[in-house]
């Protein structure tokens, strides 16, 4: 592969962010629809030959879902090979859009001729935010600032015949719905001795009794004894897709693609088979943690076809994903070299120690990982995990994360009900659907991990604190030292998070506890973490990820499959009788489709046809050959014919597919 | 077990006798005269629907949903007597047919159900009760494109099952480019056979009847001189890919396109891109989802003589709890009596696995008691009299019976005799076989019986939708000047106001019982009140004046609620259900 362009950190975008004086504003206000719109307009105006604005669809509340198409040349989008980048499926993760926007800006900052070459006949489609309705809650567009995972679908979550009648209430009138800590000897929490603003779980096994319980700021509006139990989370768009769809759950919706946002996304991807990979910026990560192989592939029938949904990827596809991952990490290395080169001017950070600490932590995480699929490549894993701001320790954890968020919607953190198998794509998600039912490469990055885990090494922690890049720690709870802030991911207000906010955010994001006389509970305190805080990547995390994604995506565009006819051999066997043989060869790095797409006919194979003029006739060999799954870097399929035709007849071979450029070969018989 | 059907019909007859109907059965002249001994194409069914709606506008409304993939509006009849209440206040039944384009008789059966209700309204008390107390949503043609194509174009009994959205079945980038071909242009799509050198074929002609092909076992082919091969359905290789008839019109199955255990096309053939991906299924889904009062579903298919319920896959058995299965069996067991030659069956266990079927969605996704009937059983075509069921004799093949039936009962109407045709790929071949009207559909003279029996099976099902009334209102003196109010609601039919499936899967909302009375304070309240022990009931902690009944009012059962109140004056107790309207009890302290 050609050397990748090295991106300078100094290219980091200056988004038109509005600073506010409010102490309790989030560290960085999320991009508004207006700001996204301005970004689209600027990009399109600055690059009229490369950038087209487009509208994917409309949210349930009526907001357009917009994005950018980056493409060079005249071909319509439907005929192009390329990749789709999606952000902002979860309303509580507005920062995902910032990653996609920053990515677009980095790509468009590349030299125009380089871009035009890379995008010739190809396309990158970028949709920064799908869930405008949900994010609107965090933006304060729907009353007090609150978290809303899904779209604006109303629901009767508690099945009492009333819809959305008992949401949180902004009792203290500060414009934000936070938490209440309620003195309660039956509660499971105690004030943390490291930081009395924080809470940790009472050690009941050691005889310690809880002193508080924690609830969402609000009232029992409908008087049914449950507070905030029907607050309207909408349908979680990233659980509204048909692979492993969570049936009969509020998050999953009434049926797969019941929500207009999810439907628009599905219709678009389905109609553009050339977009052979999807990159989702959200709560999954397949570039750091490779999804595992299907443990069991149930095959049968006369074609030995797959007969039931897979719980993992086909092994050929895992191998290809590993190559995506390797390139993703190469992009990091380029960035590191770049950062080191810049270190004198930009006294930023000690990327190396940061990364090493990460690598250790990840190695630990892997040891705990029961999923065998990842265990046989320890070396690659260590390397793959050697990164600063990427993703999770393992799938279990990234998932536990979203469960926690669910739990926060109800009064008490109940048992985690959303089960996800380690190493598989999350059931009901766009990503899982895109792979399992549309055959596309399932690429996903998580912009950051909330700092609920505190570094096990105090020094690394302080390095972290100074670093622009280290947003997270990684130590396991068991490794915690006595004097460290509590490392409790379940806590609604972990001391570790407060320490991080103090160190790096000047305390922004924590709303101080203030006394409140609650009509139902008496004296309580209202405060805690600002909605969205633990999910939303900070702007520097978004920038750092975009730095890495931009060269990687350029690399991927160049790696897309590309077929050609090679090894043509025409022999005259007798007067007017010829044999013709040729091979179709894939010179791209990626296979012509995923193995799954090929096995399940979800993307069509390369179709090779022999076109004969009048007077010529096939004596042997097919009129058309459907070529399934050519591996990258020289995967080939031979084909041959016997033809009766006059000398000097011109024949034509054509190959067409959705994932590679069409090619033709003219052959003049001797 | 008592047979509610019997009692229902006896009651109806007794009342009919008293009312001295204007016409006896035999010479009754229909008010809306429709020929039920024939099938109708799309336009014909539309015309019937328009006629019913125009003849009985006070009871029947026609609307069109869709349109279909090819743009045909889909007629939908709503039967409701507005003067007895709006639609949403009553239990409703959904009836449809013909989701598979070739399974045409479901269309006539659905229209017949509407016709029978309208024609006999005011005459037969059982019918009058259904029309006055229930709502019917009747969609005769789920797949109007497939239906029309089946009638107008050359087809077999089995072809045109699909809708007509062009589909690339062979994954070559071309759509519907290689379907069957009517080689001789006679309007029939039959079978191709070709004579070959003796010993090189796989069939021989039946010694007694050369119309019949006999398969010769591999080891006897040389010895018996097998000299025929079968070449499949009439057609040739239109797209030159070496395969014949591999990408015909449409090429999918709308009865695999519903969001209950839906699986993608590579696991479940014909599933479509995602649930509700076709115009027809999307329109129906939207209509049904907007009507939570639908408490019964019937879908008409052909053939085989089956009364089918879900699940379509063994992995979904948990959607059919015991109390629901009891309801299914109560209806289907009487159904076997109403429908001779039909059997009560479970889709996955007795037929085959179906992912994403329509009644699976209504049953498992919406919690509605739902049946699919496979109309017409070929066992009815030819009898051996005292010898019994010809299939059990083991002497004659089904094909031989078909010929006897065609020769002696249909006088040759349903068979095309073998005749030579030139084939572009195979040279001279013979084409012949049974026409599309034989095999899955009854002959004209048997249509009316088939659709009447299936329609009245629906009416029986409809009669089993919950019918709730106030059984008793009782006020007792409690200690300390309190009063104890006990109200019992009784459901006199099989289907509960909320099925166990709905309750288990959190589908829809529970029934809500509200106690109201000015001047009365509710101190406590709850369901499951004991009949004798006034202190025994499940007092709720919050909102005793508004009780939620997760299980609703059970079939042929009651729910008894109790309140401890203080004060005086009149009170009402209102049972508000999604599937059986609202019932109000009243009393006074």
């Amino acid at each position: 592969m050609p050397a990748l362009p090295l991106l300078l950190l100094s290219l980091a975008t200056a988004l038109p962010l509005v600073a506010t004086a409010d102490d309790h504003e989030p560290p960085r206000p999320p991009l508004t629809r207006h700001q996204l719109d301005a970004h689209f307009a600027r990009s399109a105006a600055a690059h009229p030959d490369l950038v087209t604005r487009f509208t994917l669809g409309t949210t349930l509340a009526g907001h357009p879902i917009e994005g950018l198409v980056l493409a060079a040349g005249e071909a319509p989008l439907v005929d192009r090979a390329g990749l789709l980048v999606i952000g902002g499926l979860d309303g509580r993760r507005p920062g995902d859009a910032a990653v996609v926007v920053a990515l677009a800006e980095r790509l468009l900052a590349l030299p125009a001729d380089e871009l035009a070459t890379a995008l010739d006949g190809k396309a990158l489609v970028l949709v920064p935010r799908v869930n405008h309705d949900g994010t609107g809650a965090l933006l304060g567009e729907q009353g007090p600032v609150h978290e809303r995972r899904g779209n604006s679908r109303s629901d009767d979550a508690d099945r009492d015949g009333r819809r959305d009648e008992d949401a949180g209430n902004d009792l203290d009138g500060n414009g934000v719905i936070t938490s209440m800590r309620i003195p309660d000897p039956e509660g499971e929490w105690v004030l943390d001795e490291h930081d009395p603003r924080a809470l940790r779980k009472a050690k009941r096994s050691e005889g310690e009794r809880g002193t508080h319980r924690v609830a969402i700021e609000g009232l029992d509006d409908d008087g049914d004894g449950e507070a905030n139990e029907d607050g309207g989370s909408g349908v979680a768009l990233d659980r509204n897709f048909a692979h492993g769809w969570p049936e009969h759950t509020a998050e999953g919706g009434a049926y797969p693609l019941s929500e207009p946002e999810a439907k628009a996304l599905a219709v678009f991807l389905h109609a553009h088979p050339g977009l052979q990979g999807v990159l989702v910026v959200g709560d999954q990560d397949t570039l750091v943690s490779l999804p595992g192989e299907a443990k069991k592939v149930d095959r049968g029938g006369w074609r030995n076809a797959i007969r039931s949904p897979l719980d993992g990827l086909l092994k050929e596809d895992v191998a290809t994903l590993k190559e995506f991952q390797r390139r993703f990490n190469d992009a990091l290395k380029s960035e590191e070299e770049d950062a080191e080169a810049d270190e004198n001017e930009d006294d930023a950070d000690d990327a190396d120690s940061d990364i090493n600490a990460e690598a250790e932590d990840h190695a630990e995480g892997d040891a705990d990982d029961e999923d065998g699929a990842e265990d046989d490549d320890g070396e690659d894993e260590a390397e793959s995990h050697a990164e600063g701001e990427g993703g999770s320790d393992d799938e279990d954890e990234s998932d536990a994360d979203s469960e926690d968020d669910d739990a926060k919607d109800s009064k008490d953190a109940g048992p985690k009900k959303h089960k996800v198998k380690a190493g598989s794509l999350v059931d009901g998600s766009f990503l899982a659907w895109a792979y399992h039912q549309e055959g596309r490469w399932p690429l996903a990055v998580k912009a950051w991990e909330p700092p609920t885990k505190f570094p096990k090494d105090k020094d690394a922690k302080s390095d972290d604190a100074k670093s622009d890049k280290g947003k997270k720690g990684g130590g396991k709870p068991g490794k915690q030292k006595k004097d460290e802030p509590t490392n409790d991911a379940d806590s609604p207000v972990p001391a570790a998070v407060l320490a991080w906010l103090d160190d790096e955010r000047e305390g922004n994001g924590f709303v101080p506890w203030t006394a409140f006389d609650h009509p139902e509970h008496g004296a309580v305190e209202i405060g805690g973490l600002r909605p969205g805080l633990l999910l939303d990547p900070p702007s520097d995390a978004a920038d750092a990820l975009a730095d890495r994604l931009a060269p990687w995506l350029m690399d991927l565009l160049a790696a897309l499959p590309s077929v050609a006819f090679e090894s043509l051999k025409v022999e005259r066997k007798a007067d007017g009788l010829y044999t013709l043989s040729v091979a179709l060869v894939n010179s791209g790095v990626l296979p012509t489709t995923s193995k799954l797409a090929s096995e399940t006919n979800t993307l069509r194979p390369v179709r090779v046809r022999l076109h004969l003029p009048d007077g010529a006739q096939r004596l042997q060999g097919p009129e058309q050959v459907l070529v399934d799954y050519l591996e990258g870097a020289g995967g080939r399929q031979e084909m041959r014919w016997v033809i009766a035709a006059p000398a000097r007849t011109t024949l034509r071979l054509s190959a067409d597919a959705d994932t590679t450029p069409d090619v033709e070969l003219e052959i003049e018989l001797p | 077990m008592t047979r509610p059907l019997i009692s229902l019909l006896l009651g109806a007859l007794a009342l009919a006798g008293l009312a001295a109907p204007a016409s006896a059965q035999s010479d009754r002249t229909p008010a809306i005269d429709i020929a039920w001994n024939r099938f109708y194409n799309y336009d014909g069914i539309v015309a019937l629907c328009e006629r019913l709606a125009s003849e009985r506008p006070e009871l029947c409304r026609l609307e069109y949903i869709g349109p279909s993939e090819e743009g045909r509006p889909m007629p939908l009849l709503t039967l409701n007597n507005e003067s007895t209440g709006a639609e949403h206040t009553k239990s409703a039944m959904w009836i449809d047919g013909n989701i598979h384009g070739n399974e045409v008789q479901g269309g006539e059966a659905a229209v017949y159900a509407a016709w029978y209700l309208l024609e006999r309204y005011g005459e037969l008390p059982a019918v009058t009760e259904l029309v006055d107390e229930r709502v019917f949503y009747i969609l005769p043609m789920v797949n109007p494109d497939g239906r029309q194509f089946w009638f107008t174009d050359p087809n077999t009994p089995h072809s045109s099952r699909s809708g007509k959205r062009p589909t690339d079945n062979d994954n070559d980038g071309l759509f519907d480019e290689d379907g069957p071909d009517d080689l001789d242009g006679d309007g029939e799509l039959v079978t191709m056979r070709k004579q070959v050198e003796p010993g090189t074929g796989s069939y021989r002609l039946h010694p007694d009847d050369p119309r019949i092909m006999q398969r010769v076992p591999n080891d006897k082919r040389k010895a018996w001189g097998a000299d025929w091969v079968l070449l499949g359905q009439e057609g040739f290789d239109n797209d030159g890919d070496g395969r014949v008839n591999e990408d015909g019109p449409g090429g999918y199955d709308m009865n695999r396109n519903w969001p209950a255990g839906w699986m993608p096309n590579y696991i479940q053939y014909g599933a479509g891109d995602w649930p509700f991906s076709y115009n027809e299924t999307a329109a129906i889904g939207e209509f049904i989802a907007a009507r939570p009062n639908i408490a019964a579903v019937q879908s008409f298919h052909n053939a085989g003589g089956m009364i089918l319920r879900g699940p379509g896959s063994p992995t979904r058995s948990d959607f059919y709890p015991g109390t629901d299965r009891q309801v299914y069996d109560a209806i289907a067991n009487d159904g076997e009596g109403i429908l001779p030659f039909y059997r009560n069956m479970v889709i996955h266990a007795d037929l085959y696995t179906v992912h994403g079927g329509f009644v699976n969605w209504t049953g498992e996704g919406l919690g509605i008691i739902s049946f699919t009937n496979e109309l017409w059983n070929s066992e009815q075509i030819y009898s051996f009299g005292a010898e019994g069921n010809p299939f059990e004799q083991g002497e004659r093949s089904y094909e031989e019976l078909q010929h006897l039936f065609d020769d002696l009962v249909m006088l040759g109407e349903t068979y095309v005799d073998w005749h030579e045709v030139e084939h572009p790929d195979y040279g001279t071949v013979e084409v012949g076989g049974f026409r599309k009207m034989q095999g899955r559909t009854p002959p004209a003279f048997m249509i009316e019986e088939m659709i009447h029996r299936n329609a009245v099976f629906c009416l029986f099902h409809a009669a089993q939708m919950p019918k709730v009334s106030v059984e008793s209102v009782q006020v007792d003196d409690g200690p300390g000047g309190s009063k104890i109010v006990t109200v019992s609601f009784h459901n006199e039919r099989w289907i509960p106001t909320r099925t166990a499936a709905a309750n288990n899967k959190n589908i829809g909302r529970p029934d809500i019982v509200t106690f109201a009375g000015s001047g009365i304070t509710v101190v406590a309240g709850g369901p499951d009140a004991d009949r004798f022990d006034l202190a025994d009931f499940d007092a709720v902690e919050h909102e005793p004046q508004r009780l939620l009944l997760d299980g609703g009012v059970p079939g042929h059962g009651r729910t008894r609620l109790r309140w401890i109140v203080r004060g005086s004056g009149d009170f009402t107790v209102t049972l508000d259900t999604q599937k059986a309207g609202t019932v109000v009890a009243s009393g006074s302290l």
Side-chain angles (χ1 to χ4, degrees), chain B residues 205-261:
Chain B
L205 304 187
H206 193 293
D208 300 330
D209 187 345
R211 298 176 300 182
I212 296 176
M213 310 286 288
Q214 280 189 328
R215 186 167 179 84
V216 181
N218 291 10
D219 59 338
K220 301 286 192 297
R221 286 176 183 172
K222 282 284 179 197
W224 294 5
D227 57 347
W228 286 88
V229 289
L230 277 178
L231 295 169
Q233 208 174 55
E234 219 175 321
F236 60 93
D237 178 11
N238 304 69
D239 61 351
D241 68 350
R243 292 191 285 167
V244 179
N245 303 344
E246 84 287 354
D247 191 356
Y252 54 90
D253 186 338
M254 282 197 279
N255 201 34
R256 307 293 184 269
N257 190 233
W258 307 86

Side-chain angles (χ1 to χ4, degrees), chain A residues 19-219:
Chain A
T20 107
D22 184 345
D23 278 352
H24 315 310
E25 279 296 299
R28 174 186 48 86
L31 293 170
T32 63
R33 285 197 309 279
H34 176 73
Q35 287 168 325
L36 286 173
D37 188 63
H39 162 75
F40 297 143
R42 273 199 315 278
S43 302
H47 306 275
D49 296 338
L50 288 174
V51 175
T52 315
R53 296 183 64 164
F54 87 111
T55 302
L56 181 77
T58 307
T59 69
L60 188 62
H63 299 301
I65 305 166
E66 293 190 283
L68 298 175
V69 177
L70 276 53
E74 296 301 311
L77 180 59
V78 70
D79 290 340
R80 291 171 184 267
L83 304 161
L84 171 65
V85 182
I86 293 290
L89 285 162
D90 185 328
R92 304 166 304 182
R93 305 178 63 94
D96 292 341
V99 176
V100 181
V101 165
L103 172 62
E105 295 190 339
R106 277 151 184 71
L107 291 168
L108 291 172
L110 294 171
D113 55 339
E114 187 185 327
L115 267 179
T117 307
L119 291 167
D120 183 30
K122 297 177 182 172
L124 278 177
V125 181
L126 303 126
V127 181
R129 181 177 297 154
V130 177
N131 191 0
H132 289 296
D133 296 2
T135 298
L138 263 191
L139 293 170
E141 293 171 359
Q142 301 154 16
V145 171
H146 62 283
E147 287 185 359
R148 189 178 180 99
R149 178 187 189 181
N151 62 358
S152 54
R153 180 74 66 188
S154 76
D155 188 23
D156 176 11
D158 58 346
R159 294 293 187 270
D160 67 349
R162 311 160 174 137
R163 301 179 86 79
D164 293 348
E165 81 288 354
D166 194 356
N169 309 78
D170 181 16
L171 298 175
D172 59 358
N174 69 344
V176 182
I177 293 177
T178 50
S179 309
M180 303 187 294
R181 55 182 193 189
I182 306 166
D184 185 350
E186 291 171 21
E188 57 175 335
W189 303 100
V190 295
L191 305 191
D192 193 315
E193 44 279 322
H194 290 102
D195 183 344
R197 299 174 299 171
L199 295 152
R200 66 163 174 80
K201 198 159 275 181
K203 295 166 185 157
R204 284 181 169 154
S205 61
E206 298 174 19
E208 182 181 37
R209 195 162 178 162
T211 57
H212 288 77
R213 64 189 161 93
V214 178
I216 295 172
E217 180 183 350
L219 304 168

Side-chain angles (χ1 to χ4, degrees), chain B residues 36 38-40 45 104-113 147 451:
Chain B
W36 294 115
R38 54 160 294 188
F39 293 127
Y40 296 85
I45 294 284
V104 293
Q105 62 261 51
E108 281 76 12
V111 179
Y112 184 96
R147 181 187 189 87
I451 62 180

Side-chain angles (χ1 to χ4, degrees), chain B residues 474-525:
Chain B
Q474 183 183 327
V475 179
D476 295 283
D477 288 327
S482 64
K483 299 280 184 188
I484 300 171
V485 178
T486 305
V487 174
S488 177
F489 293 100
H490 181 253
N491 177 3
E492 62 185 88
R493 302 294 160 87
W494 269 113
I495 300 177
T497 56
R498 197 173 190 224
T499 59
N503 185 12
N504 290 357
K505 301 292 180 181
N506 219 8
I507 301 165
R509 71 156 168 83
D511 297 347
I512 298 171
V513 185
T514 312
F515 187 103
S518 60
I520 299 176
T521 305
V522 176
V523 177

Side-chain angles (χ1 to χ4, degrees), chain A residues 185-264:
Chain A
E186 291 171 21
E188 57 175 335
W189 303 100
V190 295
L191 305 191
D192 193 315
E193 44 279 322
H194 290 102
D195 183 344
R197 299 174 299 171
L199 295 152
R200 66 163 174 80
K201 198 159 275 181
K203 295 166 185 157
R204 284 181 169 154
S205 61
E206 298 174 19
E208 182 181 37
R209 195 162 178 162
T211 57
H212 288 77
R213 64 189 161 93
V214 178
I216 295 172
E217 180 183 350
L219 304 168
D220 177 11
D221 297 285
D222 58 353
D224 65 351
E226 303 280 325
N228 310 325
E229 83 289 354
D230 193 357
S233 288
V235 174
L237 303 181
D238 209 23
R239 301 293 181 272
N240 191 225
F241 289 82
H243 180 81
W245 173 62
E247 187 177 11
H248 295 309
T249 65
E251 61 179 16
Y255 51 89
L257 306 185
S258 60
E259 305 312 301
E261 300 91 342
K263 179 78 175 284

Side-chain angles (χ1 to χ4, degrees), chain A residues 646-664:
Chain A
R648 308 278 166 231
T649 299
T650 301
L651 319 175
R652 196 163 54 86
L653 275 170
S654 68
D656 65 273
D658 293 323
T659 54
T660 77
D662 298 348
V663 290
E664 282 200 347

Side-chain angles (χ1 to χ4, degrees), chain B residues 524-578:
Chain B
D528 295 334
D530 186 80
R531 192 169 184 167
F532 306 110
D533 180 356
L534 290 179
D536 185 0
F537 64 101
D538 288 348
V540 299
E541 194 178 342
H542 297 275
E543 291 195 280
Q545 73 286 0
R546 186 175 187 272
L547 303 174
L548 299 177
L549 299 179
D550 286 334
V553 186
H556 286 296
R558 62 186 51 73
T559 186
R560 191 180 287 119
L561 308 117
R562 183 164 293 149
W563 291 267
I564 300 173
V565 301
R566 196 181 260 287
S568 61
D570 296 337
F571 63 86
T572 59
V573 173
T574 306
L575 170 70
D576 177 15
T577 74
Q578 278 191 319

